[in-house]
């Protein structure tokens, strides 16, 4: 039997051990038996328990073991229940997160599809505006031809001669055509600038949508990859800092509002593009109609002017023929008058000779007899006839001079009208056949 001092076993709290608390030993009980008195039994009786103490000690151990066993069973049961509950909660939370990720993917896909649709619309609108801009440029280029035609017509008509240089209906219509073409050119240039500005706004809106679409594609990829993660995924790892709230993050409402604002801006630009496209189409149709109507008016004025010139030229030519005939007749009349005057010279000489000879009669023979009176009357008659013939000859010569002046005026006017007719028909109207077609004026 050992003589060592027997002490109670260390105190172990199983509940504290289950919670990870550090083991603590209670203070030693101060129930060590007192050393027996007496020197004879000192080696056998010192530091020993009594039977009652021995029994109490192992009963205490048994009770403590039972208590610890009960506590261990309770903790194990609660641990199993807690494990099952946390496992179910974790699976439920994970399933809820997966469901929410799926819903989020559907939402992102919807907005991504809307963004893609409006991006395609903006791209198509921009392409249509670029084609419309080319049409405007071609239409603007095509207006140079009618402008050159109208200005050339005015320049050619400025070379008309004399009284033909008149501000007639043709010139008024040509001036209207030049003013119309200038206003149309200014309108086309202004509209082309509007189209360029609209193209710029469309591209800015498209760029904004493309950036939003790209961000949503990345977000969709991340959320899709997140939704595919499971407890068996080998590529998962711990990221403790990812659960902390990040600064400057959007809320679902601000996230939706941001995309809606971008789409609203895009739809505004789409509507503006559609309105501008309709406006330009109508404008091209209107300017084409206006130019063709004005061209028709100018052509009609040219035709009427040519008809007037032809009619006037015909009348002048007819009058010239009559004048030439009259000149010939007058020339013959002058010749006849001259001949008549010449024919009166002989009778006048005869009568004057007779009077002269009879004036030589002597003395009483110088009598104013009937022959003398007849001869004097004859001389007076011949003188009066000659005076009348000479007067008529002067009138005939004056008339011939006037007829010659009329002939020259008629010929000059005919030449002027022939020159004007050449300008109107050969220069102007022939050149106007190069007027652009309706399709060319419309920019096709």
């Amino acid at each position: 039997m050992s003589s060592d001092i027997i002490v109670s076993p260390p105190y172990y709290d199983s509940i504290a051990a289950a919670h990870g608390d550090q083991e603590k030993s209670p203070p030693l009980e101060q129930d060590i038996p007192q050393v027996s008195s007496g020197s004879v039994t000192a080696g056998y009786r010192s530091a020993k328990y009594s039977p009652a103490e021995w029994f109490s000690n192992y009963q205490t151990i048994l009770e403590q073991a039972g208590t610890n066993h009960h506590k261990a069973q309770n903790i194990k049961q609660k641990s199993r229940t807690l494990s099952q509950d946390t496992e179910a909660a974790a699976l439920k939370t994970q399933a809820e997160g997966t469901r929410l990720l799926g819903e989020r993917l559907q939402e992102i896909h919807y907005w991504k599809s809307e963004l893609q649709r409006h991006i395609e619309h903006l791209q198509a609108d921009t392409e249509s505006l670029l084609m419309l801009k080319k049409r405007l440029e071609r239409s603007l280029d095509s207006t140079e031809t009618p402008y050159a035609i109208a200005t050339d017509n005015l320049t050619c008509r400025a070379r008309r001669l004399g009284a033909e240089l008149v501000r007639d209906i043709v010139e008024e219509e040509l001036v209207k055509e030049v003013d119309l073409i200038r206003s149309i050119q200014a309108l086309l240039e202004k509209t082309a600038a509007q189209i360029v500005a609209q193209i710029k706004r469309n591209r800015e809106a498209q760029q904004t949508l493309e950036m939003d679409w790209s961000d949503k594609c990345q977000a969709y990829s991340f959320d899709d990859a997140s939704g595919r993660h499971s407890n068996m995924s080998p590529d998962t790892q711990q990221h403790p800092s990812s659960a902390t709230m990040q600064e400057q993050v959007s809320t679902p409402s601000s996230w939706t509002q941001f995309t809606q604002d971008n789409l609203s801006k895009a739809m505004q630009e789409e509507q503006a593009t559609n309105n501008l496209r309709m406006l330009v189409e109508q404008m091209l149709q209107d300017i084409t109609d206006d130019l063709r109507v004005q061209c028709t008016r100018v052509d009609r004025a040219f035709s009427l002017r040519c008809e007037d010139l032809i009619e006037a030229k015909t009348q002048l030519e007819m009058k010239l023929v009559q004048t030439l005939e009259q000149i010939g007749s007058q020339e013959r009349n002058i010749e006849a008058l001259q001949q008549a005057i010449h024919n009166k010279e002989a009778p006048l000489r005869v009568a004057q000779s007779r009077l002269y000879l009879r004036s030589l009669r002597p003395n009483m023979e110088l009598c104013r007899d009937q022959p003398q009176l007849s001869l004097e009357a004859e001389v007076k008659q011949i003188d009066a006839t000659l005076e009348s013939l000479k007067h008529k000859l002067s009138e005939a010569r004056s008339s011939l001079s006037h007829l010659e002046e009329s002939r020259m005026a008629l010929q000059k006017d005919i030449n002027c009208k022939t020159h004007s007719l050449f300008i109107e028909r050969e220069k102007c109207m022939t050149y106007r056949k190069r007027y652009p077609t309706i399709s060319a004026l419309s920019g096709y």
Side-chain angles (χ1 to χ4, degrees):
M1 189 172 183
S2 175
S3 62
D4 295 335
I5 299 174
I6 300 174
V7 297
S8 63
Y11 176 77
Y12 179 78
D13 192 349
S14 60
I15 299 176
H19 290 80
D21 295 339
Q22 186 178 2
E23 295 182 358
K24 297 182 181 179
S25 299
L28 295 176
E29 297 179 358
Q30 301 296 325
D31 56 353
I32 300 175
Q34 301 293 328
V35 180
S36 301
S37 62
S39 58
V40 179
T41 60
Y44 296 97
R45 300 175 57 186
S46 63
K48 290 184 179 180
Y49 293 100
S50 65
E53 292 173 341
W54 171 81
F55 180 78
S56 176
N57 183 51
Y58 88 84
Q59 287 294 329
T60 301
I61 292 174
L62 287 176
E63 291 177 0
Q64 184 65 40
T67 301
N68 291 339
H69 178 75
H70 178 72
K71 288 182 178 179
Q73 290 290 339
N74 190 20
I75 290 173
K76 184 172 66 174
Q77 181 65 28
K78 290 181 178 180
S79 297
R80 184 181 301 109
T81 303
L82 180 62
S83 297
Q84 293 175 353
D85 293 342
T86 54
E87 179 69 16
L91 292 176
K92 181 179 180 181
T93 304
Q94 188 180 83
E96 180 66 16
T98 303
R99 184 184 66 81
L100 293 176
L101 282 173
E103 294 178 355
R104 184 62 171 176
L105 286 174
Q106 292 179 357
E107 189 174 6
I108 293 176
H109 178 73
Y110 169 76
W111 288 115
K112 188 162 65 72
S113 300
E114 288 294 309
L115 289 171
Q116 180 66 31
R117 184 168 63 88
H118 285 282
I119 287 172
E120 293 174 355
H121 285 175
L122 285 174
Q123 189 172 2
D125 288 343
T126 301
E127 292 295 330
S128 65
L129 287 179
L130 288 173
M131 295 299 296
L132 204 57
K133 179 174 175 289
K134 291 182 180 179
R135 282 186 59 191
L136 285 177
E137 292 172 350
R138 287 194 291 264
S139 179
L140 182 61
D141 292 339
S142 66
T143 58
E144 293 296 331
T145 300
Y147 182 76
I149 291 174
T151 53
D152 181 76
N153 290 161
L154 289 172
T155 303
C156 290
R157 298 185 91 246
R159 295 196 291 267
R160 290 175 295 172
L161 303 175
E164 293 300 313
L165 192 61
V166 60
R167 185 176 177 85
D168 52 7
I169 186 65
V170 178
E171 186 167 347
E172 292 177 357
E173 293 296 337
L174 283 173
V175 171
K176 289 180 182 179
E177 187 175 41
V178 170
D179 293 339
L180 176 63
I181 293 172
R182 285 177 177 173
S183 63
I184 286 175
Q185 288 175 342
L187 179 61
L188 289 174
E189 291 174 355
K190 181 180 178 180
T191 307
Q194 291 178 351
I195 288 181
V196 170
Q198 185 61 49
I199 289 174
K200 182 179 179 181
R201 290 194 294 269
N202 283 358
R203 286 175 173 171
E204 290 175 354
Q206 180 180 347
Q207 184 178 7
T208 301
L209 294 185
E210 287 175 347
M211 292 178 63
D212 195 1
W213 178 84
S214 177
D215 293 343
K216 282 179 171 51
C217 284
Q218 293 185 15
Y220 187 90
S221 177
F222 292 146
D223 285 350
D224 183 59
S226 299
R228 296 179 185 278
H229 282 324
S230 65
N231 294 332
M232 303 301 294
S233 300
D235 55 345
T236 57
Q237 55 184 345
Q238 293 184 351
H239 298 280
S241 62
S242 63
T244 60
M245 175 65 85
Q246 299 179 4
E247 296 181 357
Q248 298 179 352
V249 295
S250 62
T251 61
S253 60
S254 64
W255 176 83
T256 303
Q257 188 63 40
F258 176 76
T259 303
Q260 288 177 345
D261 291 342
N262 292 337
L263 291 175
S264 177
K265 177 64 176 177
M267 286 187 288
Q268 290 178 2
E269 299 304 333
E270 291 173 7
Q271 184 63 35
T273 299
N274 187 40
N275 294 337
L276 181 60
R277 185 166 55 244
M278 294 175 61
L279 177 65
V280 173
E281 291 286 351
Q282 186 62 41
M283 183 197 68
L284 287 173
Q285 181 65 35
D286 291 342
I287 65 174
T288 300
D289 294 342
D290 292 342
L291 285 175
R292 294 304 306 180
V293 167
Q294 186 61 32
C295 177
T296 303
R297 289 178 179 175
V298 174
D299 291 342
R300 186 183 301 111
F302 267 116
S303 298
L304 294 176
R305 183 61 180 170
C306 289
E307 291 178 1
D308 293 340
L309 285 172
I310 292 173
E311 183 180 359
K313 181 172 174 289
T314 302
Q315 292 177 358
L316 288 171
E317 289 173 345
M318 292 174 62
K319 185 59 68 176
L320 178 60
V321 171
Q322 294 175 2
T323 302
L324 291 174
E325 292 176 353
Q326 194 67 28
I327 287 174
S329 176
Q330 196 66 269
E331 287 176 346
R332 291 190 297 272
N333 183 41
I334 290 173
E335 292 177 356
L337 288 172
Q338 289 175 345
Q339 186 63 40
I341 292 172
H342 179 70
N343 292 337
K344 293 297 184 292
E345 292 178 355
L348 181 60
R349 288 197 305 269
V350 170
Q352 289 178 350
S353 296
R354 286 177 177 179
L355 286 173
Y356 175 73
L357 290 175
R358 295 191 86 233
S359 66
L360 298 178
R361 288 176 298 169
N363 300 322
M364 290 301 293
E365 293 300 321
L366 188 63
C367 178
R368 291 181 59 85
D369 52 7
Q370 190 64 35
Q372 182 69 25
L373 295 175
S374 176
L375 286 172
E376 289 177 358
E378 182 181 3
V379 169
K380 290 181 181 179
Q381 181 183 4
I382 292 174
D383 287 337
T385 301
L386 286 173
E387 186 66 26
S388 177
L389 289 173
K390 289 179 180 178
H391 181 70
K392 287 299 180 183
L393 179 60
S394 177
E395 289 181 353
R397 286 175 176 172
S398 177
S399 176
L400 180 61
S401 177
H402 292 160
L403 288 173
E404 288 292 342
E405 291 176 359
S406 296
R407 178 185 64 81
M408 294 177 62
L410 288 170
Q411 288 179 341
K412 183 179 179 180
D413 202 11
I414 289 172
N415 290 334
C416 290
K417 285 180 171 49
T418 302
H419 183 260
S420 297
L421 194 59
F422 173 77
I423 290 175
E424 306 288 8
R425 289 194 304 188
E426 304 301 328
K427 291 291 186 180
C428 297
M429 296 186 70
T430 302
Y431 192 20
R432 293 190 67 81
K433 293 180 180 179
R434 301 180 184 179
Y435 209 89
T437 61
I438 295 178
S439 60
L441 291 174
S442 299
Y444 291 108

